[in-house]
Amino acid sequence: MDMEGALRARLLAAAPVNALVAGRVYWEDRPQGSVLPDITLTPIDDARPQTMDGFQSFRPTQVQIDVRATTFSQKKALTEAVIAAVTPRETSNGIRFDRAADIRPRSLNERTDTQFIYRTAIDLIVWHSPA
């Protein structure tokens, strides 16, 4: 499995996260009109560090994790559950994750024609390599 699939699986395996989103964790393409709360993952920067011997297998990927909910308290609980799920070192689905770094949540609430959506964007750097 690749890092993207392993990170999604890691979030879904975290009971507090999955209890809130019931499997609604998407990479980049959040289905329009999807049920809230949900999570969308977007790669921001996928550096490929090298040495004289070639590419390093252990590398950083900056990811933005968008948490969307219908209430402030739901958004806050989901934000904290996501941070707790992705911060520790862990091996998941054949990918070794080091401790996430530079975790920066910011509020980006939005109003649609029909509802107010509570949204937090969490920027972080995921250090990873094949296990």
Side-chain angles (χ1 to χ4, degrees), residues 1-94:
M1 183 175 283
D2 58 14
M3 185 282 293
E4 291 82 2
L7 185 59
R8 182 179 184 276
R10 187 175 177 184
L11 284 167
L12 291 173
V17 173
N18 204 20
L20 290 166
V21 298
R24 293 182 302 272
V25 178
Y26 312 105
W27 269 101
E28 295 192 53
D29 187 15
R30 176 182 176 262
Q32 187 171 354
S34 64
V35 176
L36 297 177
D38 68 11
I39 298 170
T40 306
L41 307 163
T42 305
I44 303 300
D45 182 27
D46 193 18
R48 307 291 171 107
Q50 297 184 63
T51 66
M52 297 300 277
D53 294 329
F55 289 106
Q56 294 176 309
S57 62
F58 188 59
R59 69 178 210 247
T61 299
Q62 184 178 2
V63 177
Q64 178 176 308
I65 302 175
D66 287 303
V67 169
R68 290 179 182 84
T70 57
T71 68
F72 177 80
S73 60
Q74 194 179 52
K75 174 188 90 160
K76 186 158 179 57
L78 186 52
T79 297
E80 294 306 318
V82 165
I83 291 170
V86 299
T87 299
R89 288 183 173 99
E90 181 179 304
T91 298
S92 174
N93 295 290

